[in-house]
């Protein structure tokens, strides 16, 4: 009879470390990134996807440190991997939220701020215009294989940000400083619509001064709403030209956060 296979603690710890630690980074990214990390995708499906990605990329990953039981060093390594995955996922969330902010701004200007609906992806109430732009940018992101670029950057991050390589606090500070970019990008997206609606409101103000007997409230709101919808419809013709620079900047910034080429 052949002897039983004997495994040492070092071998078990090495195998667990090479599989479990990358799993935490990948699962953290899939739990926080847009599209996959929303409530539309069940948590069990996200975990299965994380397991599948780990199994595929594990043979090409650098050697991971060995885990010796559940102690403070192992918990610190797990926390580091979770932070890296959350950092990459939150960077993508900023890109998608820029379009949601743009929709909220233009909806408020045209009088559709009260027209809100429950966002099934996040479970919160958002303006209809913002929800429409969110769905549109999701379709554009998938059509241009943005999710494949994210998986590529995630795979390269195990080389540029190796497991157990220490916390990169400067990357987290860069992520915090990027929060203002969301509002700026949202304003740039709807700046033409805001300018046109401002001209319309100024025209109504001049009409009110010229003809005080004119009931501006009865005709101003419907006209502002109709003109706002027309301006928004015309602006959608250039949505691809607005999407591409922001998407390129976001993916490039994602590579810089991960230290990838």
């Amino acid at each position: 009879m052949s002897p039983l296979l004997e495994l040492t603690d070092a071998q078990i710890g090495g195998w667990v470390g090479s599989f479990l630690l990358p799993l935490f980074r990948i699962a953290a990214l899939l739990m926080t990134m847009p599209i996959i990390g929303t409530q539309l995708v069940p948590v069990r499906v996200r975990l299965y996807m994380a397991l599948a990605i780990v199994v595929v990329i594990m043979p090409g990953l650098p050697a991971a440190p060995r885990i010796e039981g559940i102690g403070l060093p192992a918990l610190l390594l797990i926390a580091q991997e979770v932070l890296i995955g959350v950092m990459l996922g939150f960077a993508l969330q900023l890109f998608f939220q820029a379009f949601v902010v743009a929709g909220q701004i233009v909806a408020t200007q045209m009088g559709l701020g009260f027209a809100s609906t429950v966002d099934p992806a996040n479970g919160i109430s958002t303006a209809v215009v913002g929800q429409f732009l969110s769905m549109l940018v999701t379709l554009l992101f998938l059509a241009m294989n943005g999710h494949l670029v994210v998986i590529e950057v995630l795979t390269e991050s195990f080389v540029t940000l190796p497991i157990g390589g220490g916390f990169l606090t400067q990357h987290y500070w860069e992520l915090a400083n990027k929060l203002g970019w969301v509002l700026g990008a949202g304003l740039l997206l709807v700046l033409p619509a805001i300018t046109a609606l401002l001209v319309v409101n100024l025209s109504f103000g001049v009409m009110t001064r010229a003809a005080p007997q004119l009931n501006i409230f009865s005709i101003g709101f419907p006209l502002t709403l109709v003109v706002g919808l027309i301006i928004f419809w015309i602006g959608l013709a250039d949505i691809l030209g607005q999407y591409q620079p922001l998407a390129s900047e976001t993916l490039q910034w994602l590579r810089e956060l991960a230290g990838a080429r």
Side-chain angles (χ1 to χ4, degrees):
M1 297 178 61
S2 60
L4 296 177
L5 179 62
E6 295 183 359
L7 298 176
T8 62
D9 294 339
Q11 291 175 329
I12 296 176
W15 289 347
V16 172
S18 61
F19 180 81
L20 190 62
L21 292 177
L23 177 63
F24 277 105
R25 181 184 299 191
I26 296 173
L29 173 64
L30 296 183
M31 292 294 176
T32 55
M33 70 175 294
I35 306 174
I36 300 177
T38 60
Q39 297 181 1
L40 298 176
V41 181
V43 177
R44 183 177 300 178
V45 175
R46 284 178 256 172
L47 290 176
Y48 289 157
M49 293 178 64
L51 288 172
I53 294 175
V54 171
V55 171
V56 172
I57 69 175
M58 188 175 62
L61 297 181
R66 182 168 57 91
I67 296 180
E68 298 179 357
I70 303 298
L72 182 59
L75 294 178
L76 289 178
L77 288 175
I78 292 173
Q80 177 185 349
E81 296 305 305
V82 172
L83 282 176
I84 293 175
V86 171
M87 177 184 67
L88 298 177
F90 189 67
L92 290 172
Q93 286 285 359
L94 290 180
F95 167 65
F96 278 75
Q97 291 304 315
F99 288 86
V100 177
V101 170
Q104 295 278 3
I105 294 174
V106 72
T108 304
Q109 291 295 321
M110 72 171 60
L112 279 178
F114 65 90
S116 60
T117 182
V118 177
D119 185 3
N122 300 313
I124 59 176
S125 180
T126 58
V128 176
V129 180
Q131 181 67 16
F132 174 78
L133 289 178
S134 178
M135 292 187 294
L136 183 61
V137 72
T138 299
L139 294 176
L140 289 175
F141 189 79
L142 294 175
M144 296 185 177
N145 295 327
H147 56 294
L148 299 181
V149 178
V150 174
I151 295 177
E152 178 187 357
V153 173
L154 176 64
T155 305
E156 293 182 6
S157 69
F158 288 100
V159 179
T160 56
L161 299 177
I163 299 175
F167 291 93
L168 300 177
T169 54
Q170 69 273 16
H171 288 166
Y172 306 134
W173 282 114
E174 292 175 5
L175 187 61
N177 295 331
K178 203 73 172 180
L179 292 176
W181 175 80
V182 178
L183 183 59
L187 286 174
L188 289 177
L189 285 171
V190 295
L191 188 59
I194 292 176
T195 305
L197 290 173
L198 179 61
V199 173
V200 173
N201 291 327
L202 289 176
S203 301
F204 285 134
V206 173
M207 291 171 58
T208 304
R209 295 291 295 179
Q213 68 276 10
L214 182 65
N215 189 357
I216 195 63
F217 294 101
S218 61
I219 63 172
F221 179 74
L223 284 179
T224 303
L225 181 59
V226 172
V227 173
L229 290 175
I230 294 174
I231 294 172
F232 181 71
W233 174 62
I234 295 174
L236 287 178
D238 193 40
I239 189 65
L240 186 60
Q242 297 174 338
Y243 167 83
Q244 287 179 338
L246 291 177
S248 300
E249 181 181 355
T250 302
L251 294 177
Q252 181 61 34
W253 180 48
L254 193 68
R255 290 181 178 274
E256 293 175 358
L257 285 177
R261 297 186 298 273

